[in-house]
Amino acid sequence: MSLPSSDQEKHQPSVAENNTDLHHEQIKQQFDLDPADIAAYAPLLRGRKLTAAVAFVAGTGFTLFGYDQGVMSSLITGNQFEATFPEVVVEASHPNHATLQSFTIAIYEVGCLFGALSNLWVGDKLGRRRTIFVGGSIMIIGAILQTTAFSFSHLIVARIFTGYGNGLITSTVPTYHAELSPSAKRGRMIMMEGTLIVVGVTIAFFVNWSSAQWRVPIALQLVFEIIMVTCIGFLPESPRWLVKRGRHAEAMAVISAMEDKPPTDPEVRRTYYGIREAVAIETSSQGSLRELTTGGRSQNFRRTVIAVVFMIMQQLTGINLVTLWTIVFQRLGLSDVNARITSAANGAEYVLASIAAYHAIDYVSRRQLMLTGAIGQCIVMLLLAVLGYINNEPAQIVSVVLLFGFNTFFAFGWLGLAWLYCAEIAGLRTRAPTNALSTASNWTFNFVVVMVVGPAFNNISWRTYIVFAALNAAIVPVVYFFFPETGGRSLEDLDVVFALAYITGEDPVKVSLRKDVPLAGSQEADEILGVSPGIRYHPTEKTPTPSSLPGNARTPV
């Protein structure tokens, strides 16, 4: 006797189950991956929760960066600090102390420089997560050493040690965050890091404004360091790094969690294929450091130079002249207390401006933000020079207001965007060493500017502003003619942009502005890149280009 129809349905596989089995079979055939292995590597968090967790850890790292930058520049003029370290007290009888004061702040950047450079060798070996963990652990030790300092030499060594850990972190976190962010959210997520740098600086100024002993503000950074080191252990590794290491099932699992879609989803498969495609571009190369000098379709040398120059220009805008708020405001005639109050207010305004930039990145191109920021900064510096020449009380008041304006322009064009752009512009194989070099260049010129600003004001006074106005003016043509647009594309899409520019002999800037460049993971992209990833991927739907994506002609990134 036959079963009733309802019982037959119970004993027959559903259409959904059949489709799932079919998709799993496609995964095996196309990518040689076992769905069971992929499921075994599934991260604890998915989708928005994973994105939020990664943003929290990355944000903590950059809040720490900002706090550590700001805490010393305002502590150094405090009475308690000067009593412990008389070497930083600037007096007529000790004119060289102005240099020692700048040196105490700037030596931190030397440690950061060596930390960033060491990432050239350890970054790809350790992976993104372990590098962040090591950097955070070093910073914990350095913070303890700074807090317990009783001599000037002890303080200097501790600041170098702390800076080394921060160099590892700042050269890794933007890459890790970019590689674990969906392309539609990447811009905002990393621009948020710029906001949190300012939050950290502002927290430092508010803490230093209190009556707390100077050791307490320095020790407070331990809170951020412990949170970062603890939480990074619960997050997945970058799927890009996993593919480079041949851990393909784990990479697919992370991409699936990142997109909050099953591994069988066409978008997840295309992203995975695009990464495999990027890894296959330079399979004949022997090492990442050698790859930095290569040209051809990958254009690694050009991309590395762009990233390094970008970070150099960020420091040459004069932001560290402005970030030393307390000292600058005192030069403008404010008392110690009023200078600290104004510094705190300036920091609060800086945060608001960076939040506005966080939202603007979705609607304005990277290049437009850079150009607008540089032009605005140039105008502000020229006005500061004119007011410095006049040098009366009304001119000093207007100068204070203009420093707020400089922060606004910098927040929109050069704060978070510097870390975002350098993480985007580099190819997968060279992303870690490229970011190490660009971050090292940032710290190098950070050190140079901090060391130069004090003596410059002592020797040429208001003319210092003219120097930075000229530097900002020079930045404009460099950005316009040499910096490609990275918005609206995945990290792997940019490999296609540079390869297409090389093949056609066009300017990469012009190609980056085109809307008909094939997306990574498509057959057209394979042909442009001249690679065969060693796996089969044949999407049934038509391969989209940036101009054919649903909604807008350009997706926010």
Side-chain angles (χ1 to χ4, degrees):
M1 183 176 70
S2 62
L3 292 170
S5 59
S6 59
D7 291 336
Q8 289 180 17
E9 292 173 359
K10 293 179 182 178
H11 288 79
Q12 291 177 352
S14 66
V15 174
E17 289 174 340
N18 285 332
N19 286 339
T20 299
D21 291 340
L22 177 61
H23 288 152
H24 284 171
E25 188 61 31
Q26 289 177 346
I27 291 287
K28 286 184 178 181
Q29 291 180 356
Q30 293 176 352
F31 303 128
D32 194 25
L33 297 177
D34 188 341
D37 291 339
I38 297 174
Y41 287 114
L44 296 174
L45 302 175
R46 296 183 63 85
R48 290 184 178 180
K49 291 182 179 179
L50 176 59
T51 301
V54 173
F56 175 75
V57 172
T60 301
F62 270 76
T63 303
L64 171 63
F65 167 28
Y67 183 84
D68 232 19
Q69 281 280 91
V71 71
M72 187 56 67
S73 62
S74 53
L75 276 180
I76 202 165
T77 57
N79 294 331
Q80 295 174 334
F81 190 87
E82 289 181 340
T84 307
F85 306 106
E87 291 87 348
V88 302
V89 180
V90 180
E91 299 173 326
S93 58
H94 297 93
N96 64 314
H97 282 195
T99 302
L100 288 177
Q101 189 183 75
S102 296
F103 180 76
T104 304
I105 298 172
I107 195 64
Y108 178 77
E109 275 75 45
V110 173
C112 293
L113 167 64
F114 286 113
L117 287 176
S118 68
N119 219 7
L120 286 168
W121 293 275
V122 304
D124 272 335
K125 291 180 180 179
L126 294 179
R128 317 302 191 223
R129 286 197 316 159
R130 281 187 288 181
T131 302
I132 294 171
F133 178 84
V134 170
S137 300
I138 291 173
M139 288 196 75
I140 289 174
I141 298 172
I144 294 172
L145 290 174
Q146 285 189 78
T147 305
T148 57
F150 282 95
S151 69
F152 187 68
S153 58
H154 183 166
L155 178 68
I156 295 301
V157 171
R159 284 186 61 74
I160 295 173
F161 196 80
T162 309
Y164 184 88
N166 195 36
L168 286 173
I169 291 171
T170 53
S171 59
T172 305
V173 167
T175 298
Y176 179 69
H177 201 178
E179 293 181 343
L180 265 175
S181 295
S183 59
K185 300 178 181 178
R186 188 178 69 241
R188 279 193 174 193
M189 291 296 99
I190 301 183
M191 286 295 283
M192 182 181 65
E193 292 175 2
T195 300
L196 291 172
I197 292 174
V198 184
V199 169
V201 173
T202 306
I203 290 173
F205 278 106
F206 275 108
V207 169
N208 292 338
W209 185 37
S210 70
S211 59
Q213 167 61 257
W214 67 267
R215 298 183 192 276
V216 175
I218 290 181
L220 186 61
Q221 65 185 282
L222 286 166
V223 175
F224 302 112
E225 293 158 359
I226 292 170
I227 289 174
M228 182 180 60
V229 168
T230 302
C231 293
I232 192 67
F234 296 96
L235 296 179
E237 182 54 87
S238 159
R240 273 81 177 177
W241 184 82
L242 291 171
V243 169
K244 286 176 68 175
R245 292 292 168 174
R247 294 157 63 175
H248 299 292
E250 190 174 351
M252 178 68 89
V254 175
I255 295 169
S256 173
M258 189 173 69
E259 301 284 352
D260 199 17
K261 296 173 182 177
T264 55
D265 183 85
E267 185 63 25
V268 172
R269 287 187 288 161
R270 192 185 70 80
T271 300
Y272 171 75
Y273 183 86
I275 296 172
R276 290 286 296 267
E277 192 178 56
V279 171
I281 291 175
E282 293 162 357
T283 53
S284 61
S285 299
Q286 296 300 314
S288 292
L289 295 183
R290 177 178 295 180
E291 290 172 24
L292 291 174
T293 62
T294 59
R297 298 177 197 243
S298 66
Q299 292 291 288
N300 284 333
F301 181 72
R302 177 194 289 265
R303 296 160 82 172
T304 301
V305 170
I306 289 173
V308 170
V309 170
F310 193 111
M311 282 300 197
I312 291 173
M313 293 194 305
Q314 190 209 38
Q315 292 303 313
L316 294 182
T317 59
I319 184 57
N320 268 321
L321 177 153
V322 181
T323 303
L324 300 175
W325 294 321
T326 304
I327 297 173
V328 172
F329 290 141
Q330 287 175 342
R331 292 181 187 276
L332 292 174
L334 297 181
S335 66
D336 180 64
V337 174
N338 287 339
R340 291 176 185 276
I341 294 173
T342 308
S343 295
N346 201 357
E349 186 275 337
Y350 200 4
V351 172
L352 294 177
S354 63
I355 291 173
Y358 165 85
H359 293 285
I361 195 68
D362 278 354
Y363 307 103
V364 186
S365 73
R366 316 295 200 239
R367 284 163 49 84
Q368 289 173 334
L369 288 174
M370 294 179 216
L371 291 169
T372 302
I375 293 170
Q377 290 156 192
C378 177
I379 294 171
V380 169
M381 286 294 181
L382 284 174
L383 293 175
L384 285 170
V386 172
L387 294 169
Y389 174 76
I390 297 172
N391 196 30
N392 57 25
E393 186 173 346
Q396 290 174 345
I397 294 173
V398 176
S399 295
V400 170
V401 175
L402 284 174
L403 290 175
F404 282 71
F406 186 95
N407 283 344
T408 302
F409 283 114
F410 185 83
F412 270 87
W414 293 86
L415 177 60
L417 189 54
W419 305 98
L420 168 63
Y421 192 84
C422 292
E424 290 179 327
I425 198 69
L428 173 59
R429 294 276 299 222
T430 59
R431 190 166 294 135
T434 295
N435 275 274
L437 283 176
S438 64
T439 305
S441 70
N442 183 282
W443 289 119
T444 300
F445 280 81
N446 191 317
F447 174 81
V448 170
V449 171
V450 172
M451 286 298 296
V452 165
V453 163
F457 272 110
N458 288 336
N459 290 286
I460 62 174
S461 186
W462 55 269
R463 297 173 184 82
T464 305
Y465 295 119
I466 296 179
V467 174
F468 285 104
L471 290 170
N472 277 286
I475 286 172
V476 175
V478 174
V479 170
Y480 185 83
F481 290 110
F482 299 107
F483 281 50
E485 178 59 49
T486 59
R489 303 183 189 277
S490 73
L491 298 177
E492 287 69 42
D493 289 339
L494 292 168
D495 291 330
V496 183
V497 168
F498 280 96
L500 182 60
Y502 174 77
I503 293 171
T504 60
E506 293 183 68
D507 182 356
V509 174
K510 293 181 179 179
V511 175
S512 71
L513 299 173
R514 287 170 48 179
K515 302 297 183 181
D516 61 342
V517 179
L519 298 182
S522 65
Q523 184 175 354
E524 294 91 337
D526 279 354
E527 294 172 355
I528 292 170
L529 294 168
V531 299
S532 175
I535 54 178
R536 298 182 300 278
Y537 175 60
H538 304 291
T540 56
E541 63 273 12
K542 181 182 177 182
T543 300
T545 61
S547 59
S548 65
L549 291 170
N552 299 320
R554 177 181 174 278
T555 55
V557 293

